[in-house]
Amino acid sequence: MEAMSIKQSLLTTISNIDERDTRLLEKLIAAIKNVLQQNSDTATKDDITPYVNSMKIGVKLPADVDIKALREEHINEKYS
């Protein structure tokens, strides 16, 4: 819910900007481009789990593989 309220607050603030204030609009455009650039950078990172990687190269996982344990191991490696 907090993200939704932040988004609504930003949209309200942006819609209330005086269009004659070109300096503020230029800063706003630069800030939005910066956020979009950061968003696209995170979306393109090579963060593939072993399961997805196995599908990419066409290798089937063994029947006894513990996906939950592999996922937790991957998350622990990523955030530690």
Side-chain angles (χ1 to χ4, degrees):
M1 292 304 281
E2 184 178 335
M4 292 297 290
S5 64
I6 290 172
K7 181 179 179 182
Q8 184 60 40
S9 174
L10 283 171
L11 291 174
T12 302
T13 303
I14 290 169
S15 68
N16 290 332
I17 293 175
D18 185 5
E19 292 179 5
R20 295 171 292 192
D21 190 354
T22 57
R23 177 184 280 165
L24 181 59
L25 287 174
E26 288 172 0
K27 288 181 180 180
L28 180 61
I29 290 169
I32 290 172
K33 285 181 179 179
N34 189 8
V35 168
L36 291 174
Q37 178 65 34
Q38 289 176 4
N39 189 28
S40 68
D41 287 347
T42 57
T44 60
K45 287 186 179 177
D46 188 34
D47 199 18
I48 299 175
T49 63
Y51 178 74
V52 173
N53 197 31
S54 71
M55 291 188 321
K56 183 175 87 175
I57 59 176
V59 176
K60 290 190 176 188
L61 292 174
D64 62 344
V65 71
D66 186 0
I67 297 293
K68 187 175 180 181
L70 287 172
R71 181 178 57 219
E72 288 178 9
E73 179 184 332
H74 176 74
I75 290 171
N76 290 338
E77 287 176 3
K78 180 179 177 184
Y79 294 110
S80 57

